[in-house]
Structure formats: C-alpha cells, structure tokens
Amino acid sequence: CGSGYTEVSGEQFKMTVTPDAKIPANTIFEETDTRYVYWLQDNEWEYSFGRAPLRAVVAGGTQSDAVSGGTISYFSISTLGNSTAWGANLTQVRAGIASGQCNNDTRAVFACGDHVVTQNVMDYVTVASAGTCTDFGDYSAGCNVMAIVSQKNSDGRAVGGGGSIWDGSSASTTNVMSYFNIGTTGNTSDFGDLTAERYSIGGLSNATRGLFCGGQESGGRTSTIDFITFATTANATTFGTLHQTQVGVGGLANATRGVICGGYGAGSPAYDDTMEYVTIASAGNATDFGNLTSNRNGISCVADSTRGCICGGSTNIDPTPIQNEIQYITIASTGNATDFGDLTVGHKSAGTGAA
C-alpha cells in the first residue's frame, strides 16, 4: 500500500501512499504487540508510539434531505479535511439523537432520537475500525433532543438528561437523568433529575463533571446551565447561565474549558452564531468566546484536548438549511471558528464521539 519509507527519525516516520492505493484518509492501524499506531494523513502514513490523533464520528440526525438519517462518517480531529463514509449505518435511522460527545477511549455511543415516535435505542461503534454499528441496550425512555455527557476516558460513565417524549398520541417533557458505562453493553440506570424538565439541550463534559446547557422548558426557552459529578448519582445543581435563553446549542470541552456553540435564541436573528465558554471546575456564567462562520441551530460537536469541531446544524438560509460544514476552534484561545472541511452529508442534531 505504500511506495517505501521517505523519512525515518527516532519514533516517527512517513511512508508515501501510491495514488491507486484506494485507502480512505484517516485510516488507523495499530500493531497490538508493539503498540505502534499508524494513521493515513495527507496521503502519507504517520506513525507514533501509543495513541493516534483522535478520530471523530458523526452519526444520524436529520440529514440533508430533511428526513431521519442513519449515515455515519468520520475524520481525524487533528487534520483539516472532509469526513469519510463509515461503511455502515446506525441500527435505527433517527433524528434528534442525544446532543454531546459520548465515548470512552475505544467506543462511541449514540443514544435515543426520533423516528415516527421517540426511540430508546442506543447503538455503538468501535471508533478505530469503521465496521458494524451494534445495539448497545435500552435507554430508560424514548427521548428526543436530550443531552448526553461522558467522561471520555477508560472509566467511561455516560449520563443522559432531559428530552421530549412522543408515543404517537401524547407529548411530554422529562427531567430524568439516566446513566450507563460505555465499556459494558446493557440498559441504563437512574442517576437523578435535572433542575427542570426540558429538551433541546446541549451537553459538554470533562472526566469529572458534565454540564447540561440551555433548552426548552414549559415556560419557554431557558439559559440555565446545570451540572453533575459523574462519580455520584444525585440531582443536578445549577452551574450558571448562558448569555441568552437558547435551544439547540452544541457543546464541546477539553479537561478544563467547555464551549457552547450556536443555538436558537431570543435575539435577531434567532439563529445564533455566538460561542461562549465556561471553566468546568468553577460554577459561573458563560463568557463570550467568538463567532461561528454562520448562524447555526442543532449543531453537533466533538473535541480532543486541543481542538473543537462544530459539525453541521441548520440555518435559516434556503435552499440548503441543513448544513454539512465542519468548523473548528482552538479551545484554549478565544476567537472565531474557521472552516475545517465537509461532512459526507448535512446533519442536524446528530450523535458524536471520538477515540
């Protein structure tokens, strides 16, 4: 698959791939005996000892044809460019998948959503291999546009919260939070309650805390940010507020800082292009970070320790309201988002994970 070594230096080398190799960008291989990891970047095999750059996965949601989708694609967070088709779809097509990055260090899980009625299905992929998407278990109830937060490490606890419920004849909103361990397939268990019943929430987290941002309550949109501590099952506590009442925000985070992106708010235009940030360890209100490349609602976000990627979403621009653009930011530095590349299809309210 290559034309030979072009550079050898210590623990790094590059090997150029022949043009007809037909190997997708961001392909990752690991030698299980040596723990050397190889990944395809700019038509060359990059190499390191230990972990490769994180691979992001984006799945389902409302897609470019404005119907519930099952498409999955992936890209390397460290490398600008377009996403690559995964090769398999979700086990159940659905819109409104839980908002927030849900993964441990090997798996990504996509929870709930809506297809005719709200779904309680959870499915997962092994991120390093673009293979089958498999049933994980059942969420506590069928929920649409809830938020999910995860520790994003080998401990691997994930907590979902809120959401709207539609059984085909009646609608309701919930404040229930449920949790599971990403490393062990099965159903969820009760974690506690959010401070209020709401849906269209954004989620972000580090290994210690998860934050639930904004959403729609019975009285209208809210600016409330709630937080939980993963290690302790309990009700959520108020963390602070967003700059305005909003629904459909996206959330991303590294170990210290969380960034809340876009949404649909009270301003004019209602579709928002603002980003704001919080320090996850310190409760308080969000602070201005910068602006997206355009106004977005229903964004799906994913991040590594350095870079955050903001995927898809919808705008009020016809004739393509559902977007396929990927934008990115450097989490440690406030500033505006920059174009990263494109998803294989447009996604709104998709599920995300990275490992």
Side-chain angles (χ1 to χ4, degrees), residues 189-214:
S189 300
D190 183 65
F191 189 92
D193 294 331
L194 295 173
T195 58
E197 296 176 347
R198 62 189 200 266
Y199 62 92
S200 292
I201 311 165
L204 63 90
S205 58
N206 63 11
T208 305
R209 282 182 167 181
L211 275 60
F212 297 83
C213 307

Side-chain angles (χ1 to χ4, degrees), residues 6-291:
T6 59
E7 177 183 339
V8 179
S9 175
E11 290 193 345
Q12 294 184 339
F13 78 87
K14 293 181 179 180
M15 184 172 68
T16 303
V17 177
T18 55
D20 58 350
K22 301 187 189 313
I23 299 172
N26 305 319
T27 296
I28 297 174
F29 293 107
E30 180 178 3
E31 291 182 341
T32 56
D33 53 345
T34 65
R35 294 191 62 233
Y36 290 136
V37 178
Y38 309 84
W39 63 97
L40 187 58
Q41 177 176 317
D42 297 329
N43 226 33
E44 293 180 325
W45 287 109
E46 304 285 347
Y47 161 102
S48 70
F49 180 79
R51 293 187 62 81
L54 289 189
R55 171 184 280 182
V57 185
V58 181
T62 305
Q63 297 188 341
S64 297
D65 52 6
V67 298
S68 300
T71 299
I72 307 173
S73 67
Y74 67 95
F75 58 91
S76 173
I77 295 175
S78 66
T79 307
L80 304 188
N82 299 335
S83 73
T84 302
W86 183 260
N89 290 339
L90 295 174
T91 62
Q92 167 69 62
V93 299
R94 55 198 192 273
I97 294 175
S99 172
Q101 183 175 333
C102 185
N103 60 267
N104 62 8
D105 52 4
T106 57
R107 286 177 172 175
V109 178
F110 314 111
C112 296
D114 177 82
H115 184 67
V116 183
V117 297
T118 49
Q119 304 290 318
N120 70 344
V121 63
M122 298 189 293
D123 37 22
Y124 76 95
V125 295
T126 300
V127 177
S129 58
T132 303
C133 186
T134 306
D135 181 67
F136 185 93
D138 292 335
Y139 194 75
S140 56
C143 291
N144 185 36
V145 289
M146 68 176 193
I148 199 160
V149 293
S150 68
Q151 292 180 285
K152 299 182 290 189
N153 60 19
S154 58
D155 294 335
R157 176 173 280 190
V159 180
S164 66
I165 299 171
W166 169 253
D167 62 8
S169 60
S170 61
S172 61
T173 306
T174 183
N175 64 348
V176 171
M177 295 184 291
S178 300
Y179 77 96
F180 58 94
N181 189 295
I182 296 172
T184 306
T185 58
N187 300 335
T188 61
S189 300
D190 183 65
F191 189 92
D193 294 331
L194 295 173
T195 58
E197 296 176 347
R198 62 189 200 266
Y199 62 92
S200 292
I201 311 165
L204 63 90
S205 58
N206 63 11
T208 305
R209 282 182 167 181
L211 275 60
F212 297 83
C213 307
Q216 179 77 24
E217 297 181 357
S218 59
R221 292 183 292 264
T222 182
S223 63
T224 299
I225 306 171
D226 287 350
F227 81 94
I228 55 101
T229 302
F230 284 108
T232 307
T233 56
N235 293 338
T237 303
T238 299
F239 181 95
T241 60
L242 303 172
H243 78 285
Q244 67 171 349
T245 59
Q246 284 180 291
V247 299
V249 299
L252 60 89
N254 61 13
T256 56
R257 174 176 282 184
V259 182
I260 304 101
C261 307
Y264 187 92
S268 179
Y271 285 83
D272 198 1
D273 70 346
T274 61
M275 296 183 287
E276 48 197 322
Y277 73 94
V278 294
T279 301
I280 298 174
S282 304
N285 297 338
T287 302
D288 182 63
F289 185 96
N291 296 100

Side-chain angles (χ1 to χ4, degrees), residues 54-58 74-81 83 100-101 203 250-254 259-261 275 289 292 296 299-313 325-331 337-343 351-354:
L54 289 189
R55 171 184 280 182
V57 185
V58 181
Y74 67 95
F75 58 91
S76 173
I77 295 175
S78 66
T79 307
L80 304 188
S83 73
Q101 183 175 333
L252 60 89
N254 61 13
V259 182
I260 304 101
C261 307
M275 296 183 287
F289 185 96
L292 299 171
R296 297 292 170 90
I299 294 168
S300 304
C301 297
V302 64
D304 62 13
S305 60
T306 303
R307 176 177 285 177
C309 293
I310 302 129
C311 304
E325 182 188 10
I326 308 170
Q327 308 169 48
Y328 76 96
I329 57 170
T330 300
I331 299 172
T338 304
D339 183 66
F340 181 99
D342 292 330
L343 299 168
T352 60

